[in-house]
Amino acid sequence: MTEANTTDERDPRLEQRIAQFENMTTADPKNEMAHFSLGNAYLQAGRAAEAAKCFEKVVELNADMSKAYQLAGEAMLDAGLEDRAVMVLEAGWKVAATRGDLLVRDGIGEKLESIGRTPPALSEEENATADELAASGSFICRRTGRTGTQLEGPPFKGPIGVWIQENISFQTWNDWIGQGTKVINELRLDFSREEDQESYDQHMREFLGIDDELREKLLEG
């Protein structure tokens, strides 16, 4: 079980991000991206139970966001809530499989198997939905699970930019631009300072669902 950081171990910058995202979710309770980012920040702080609640809120707001199911289930396991975690992970596996989100589907499947559970089977209707979506050729945003428009090119150079172009919709990227502006203004970031640029980049990765494992994999090529 993940233990919360003690007061002496708290990262001031992480606490600042948590406070910022808490303010965002309070100001706009229907902002699924803010709840998602807050959940990620809670996870980094070792606050698994609180993270799980955030990701459950995301699922409530957007039942197609398979990544939120995965993170909610994993956080519940860390918090010792296995029965609830299994229910959420199984539901997320079906959403991911139906919408063609293979990375999340496989990740959830591995997590279920690690606790002695088997991923659920899709119903005929769910299989038909998956086949129909695959045949349509629609672009599915891996961040939101919704259909959208693919970016015409990477938003910036490097492997992370390429991944964003291949996996994040134009609509979600535009949402980040708006959110990123709030980050700049609220944190008073100065891009001439390296630490401020990294803070902005970290907020972007959290918003788009690029966790540390995926980031390292992309940078390794």
PDB file of all heavy atoms in Angstrom, residues 184 187-197:
ATOM      1  N   ILE A 184       0.456  29.033 -16.692  1.00  0.00           N
ATOM      2  CA  ILE A 184       1.453  30.103 -16.809  1.00  0.00           C
ATOM      3  C   ILE A 184       1.073  31.290 -15.934  1.00  0.00           C
ATOM      4  O   ILE A 184       1.904  31.833 -15.190  1.00  0.00           O
ATOM      5  CB  ILE A 184       1.586  30.548 -18.281  1.00  0.00           C
ATOM      6  CG1 ILE A 184       2.186  29.421 -19.123  1.00  0.00           C
ATOM      7  CG2 ILE A 184       2.457  31.805 -18.386  1.00  0.00           C
ATOM      8  CD1 ILE A 184       2.120  29.679 -20.615  1.00  0.00           C
ATOM      9  N   LEU A 187       0.899  30.310 -11.951  1.00  0.00           N
ATOM     10  CA  LEU A 187       2.207  30.035 -11.356  1.00  0.00           C
ATOM     11  C   LEU A 187       3.241  31.101 -11.716  1.00  0.00           C
ATOM     12  O   LEU A 187       4.377  31.034 -11.260  1.00  0.00           O
ATOM     13  CB  LEU A 187       2.712  28.658 -11.809  1.00  0.00           C
ATOM     14  CG  LEU A 187       1.856  27.454 -11.425  1.00  0.00           C
ATOM     15  CD1 LEU A 187       2.548  26.161 -11.837  1.00  0.00           C
ATOM     16  CD2 LEU A 187       1.558  27.439  -9.932  1.00  0.00           C
ATOM     17  N   ARG A 188       2.818  32.056 -12.556  1.00  0.00           N
ATOM     18  CA  ARG A 188       3.708  33.142 -12.981  1.00  0.00           C
ATOM     19  C   ARG A 188       5.018  32.586 -13.538  1.00  0.00           C
ATOM     20  O   ARG A 188       6.119  32.979 -13.123  1.00  0.00           O
ATOM     21  CB  ARG A 188       3.973  34.098 -11.819  1.00  0.00           C
ATOM     22  CG  ARG A 188       2.702  34.759 -11.291  1.00  0.00           C
ATOM     23  CD  ARG A 188       2.975  35.716 -10.164  1.00  0.00           C
ATOM     24  NE  ARG A 188       1.742  36.332  -9.687  1.00  0.00           N
ATOM     25  CZ  ARG A 188       1.675  37.215  -8.696  1.00  0.00           C
ATOM     26  NH1 ARG A 188       2.787  37.594  -8.074  1.00  0.00           N
ATOM     27  NH2 ARG A 188       0.515  37.724  -8.323  1.00  0.00           N
ATOM     28  N   LEU A 189       4.873  31.679 -14.486  1.00  0.00           N
ATOM     29  CA  LEU A 189       6.044  31.017 -15.052  1.00  0.00           C
ATOM     30  C   LEU A 189       6.807  31.949 -15.983  1.00  0.00           C
ATOM     31  O   LEU A 189       6.219  32.717 -16.740  1.00  0.00           O
ATOM     32  CB  LEU A 189       5.619  29.758 -15.813  1.00  0.00           C
ATOM     33  CG  LEU A 189       4.904  28.678 -14.998  1.00  0.00           C
ATOM     34  CD1 LEU A 189       4.586  27.475 -15.880  1.00  0.00           C
ATOM     35  CD2 LEU A 189       5.741  28.245 -13.799  1.00  0.00           C
ATOM     36  N   ASP A 190       8.116  31.837 -15.911  1.00  0.00           N
ATOM     37  CA  ASP A 190       9.019  32.609 -16.766  1.00  0.00           C
ATOM     38  C   ASP A 190       9.854  31.605 -17.551  1.00  0.00           C
ATOM     39  O   ASP A 190      10.716  30.924 -16.988  1.00  0.00           O
ATOM     40  CB  ASP A 190       9.910  33.498 -15.896  1.00  0.00           C
ATOM     41  CG  ASP A 190      10.929  34.293 -16.708  1.00  0.00           C
ATOM     42  OD1 ASP A 190      10.983  34.120 -17.943  1.00  0.00           O
ATOM     43  OD2 ASP A 190      11.693  35.068 -16.098  1.00  0.00           O
ATOM     44  N   PHE A 191       9.587  31.489 -18.859  1.00  0.00           N
ATOM     45  CA  PHE A 191      10.231  30.451 -19.657  1.00  0.00           C
ATOM     46  C   PHE A 191      11.720  30.695 -19.889  1.00  0.00           C
ATOM     47  O   PHE A 191      12.395  29.862 -20.488  1.00  0.00           O
ATOM     48  CB  PHE A 191       9.514  30.284 -20.994  1.00  0.00           C
ATOM     49  CG  PHE A 191       8.169  29.610 -20.865  1.00  0.00           C
ATOM     50  CD1 PHE A 191       7.199  29.764 -21.835  1.00  0.00           C
ATOM     51  CD2 PHE A 191       7.880  28.819 -19.766  1.00  0.00           C
ATOM     52  CE1 PHE A 191       5.961  29.145 -21.717  1.00  0.00           C
ATOM     53  CE2 PHE A 191       6.654  28.191 -19.628  1.00  0.00           C
ATOM     54  CZ  PHE A 191       5.690  28.354 -20.605  1.00  0.00           C
ATOM     55  N   SER A 192      12.226  31.819 -19.425  1.00  0.00           N
ATOM     56  CA  SER A 192      13.676  32.019 -19.490  1.00  0.00           C
ATOM     57  C   SER A 192      14.375  31.228 -18.386  1.00  0.00           C
ATOM     58  O   SER A 192      15.590  31.065 -18.405  1.00  0.00           O
ATOM     59  CB  SER A 192      14.026  33.507 -19.357  1.00  0.00           C
ATOM     60  OG  SER A 192      13.699  33.995 -18.061  1.00  0.00           O
ATOM     61  N   ARG A 193      13.566  30.715 -17.445  1.00  0.00           N
ATOM     62  CA  ARG A 193      14.123  29.903 -16.357  1.00  0.00           C
ATOM     63  C   ARG A 193      13.830  28.433 -16.629  1.00  0.00           C
ATOM     64  O   ARG A 193      12.684  28.052 -16.892  1.00  0.00           O
ATOM     65  CB  ARG A 193      13.523  30.324 -15.014  1.00  0.00           C
ATOM     66  CG  ARG A 193      13.785  31.785 -14.669  1.00  0.00           C
ATOM     67  CD  ARG A 193      13.524  32.065 -13.206  1.00  0.00           C
ATOM     68  NE  ARG A 193      12.187  31.674 -12.790  1.00  0.00           N
ATOM     69  CZ  ARG A 193      11.762  31.762 -11.527  1.00  0.00           C
ATOM     70  NH1 ARG A 193      12.580  32.196 -10.587  1.00  0.00           N
ATOM     71  NH2 ARG A 193      10.530  31.409 -11.223  1.00  0.00           N
ATOM     72  N   GLU A 194      14.858  27.617 -16.558  1.00  0.00           N
ATOM     73  CA  GLU A 194      14.737  26.200 -16.902  1.00  0.00           C
ATOM     74  C   GLU A 194      13.724  25.484 -16.016  1.00  0.00           C
ATOM     75  O   GLU A 194      12.947  24.651 -16.489  1.00  0.00           O
ATOM     76  CB  GLU A 194      16.101  25.520 -16.780  1.00  0.00           C
ATOM     77  CG  GLU A 194      16.096  24.063 -17.219  1.00  0.00           C
ATOM     78  CD  GLU A 194      17.480  23.439 -17.184  1.00  0.00           C
ATOM     79  OE1 GLU A 194      18.468  24.199 -17.090  1.00  0.00           O
ATOM     80  OE2 GLU A 194      17.575  22.202 -17.248  1.00  0.00           O
ATOM     81  N   GLU A 195      13.701  25.818 -14.719  1.00  0.00           N
ATOM     82  CA  GLU A 195      12.785  25.133 -13.814  1.00  0.00           C
ATOM     83  C   GLU A 195      11.324  25.472 -14.122  1.00  0.00           C
ATOM     84  O   GLU A 195      10.428  24.640 -13.940  1.00  0.00           O
ATOM     85  CB  GLU A 195      13.101  25.465 -12.350  1.00  0.00           C
ATOM     86  CG  GLU A 195      12.998  26.937 -11.981  1.00  0.00           C
ATOM     87  CD  GLU A 195      14.320  27.676 -12.122  1.00  0.00           C
ATOM     88  OE1 GLU A 195      15.141  27.255 -12.960  1.00  0.00           O
ATOM     89  OE2 GLU A 195      14.529  28.659 -11.389  1.00  0.00           O
ATOM     90  N   ASP A 196      11.076  26.682 -14.621  1.00  0.00           N
ATOM     91  CA  ASP A 196       9.713  27.059 -14.985  1.00  0.00           C
ATOM     92  C   ASP A 196       9.273  26.334 -16.256  1.00  0.00           C
ATOM     93  O   ASP A 196       8.111  25.921 -16.380  1.00  0.00           O
ATOM     94  CB  ASP A 196       9.612  28.570 -15.184  1.00  0.00           C
ATOM     95  CG  ASP A 196       9.560  29.330 -13.864  1.00  0.00           C
ATOM     96  OD1 ASP A 196       9.811  28.697 -12.818  1.00  0.00           O
ATOM     97  OD2 ASP A 196       9.278  30.537 -13.867  1.00  0.00           O
ATOM     98  N   GLN A 197      10.186  26.178 -17.196  1.00  0.00           N
ATOM     99  CA  GLN A 197       9.869  25.430 -18.416  1.00  0.00           C
ATOM    100  C   GLN A 197       9.552  23.980 -18.072  1.00  0.00           C
ATOM    101  O   GLN A 197       8.602  23.394 -18.598  1.00  0.00           O
ATOM    102  CB  GLN A 197      11.045  25.485 -19.389  1.00  0.00           C
ATOM    103  CG  GLN A 197      10.815  24.717 -20.692  1.00  0.00           C
ATOM    104  CD  GLN A 197       9.720  25.320 -21.545  1.00  0.00           C
ATOM    105  OE1 GLN A 197       9.831  26.459 -21.985  1.00  0.00           O
ATOM    106  NE2 GLN A 197       8.656  24.558 -21.799  1.00  0.00           N
TER     107      GLN A 197
END
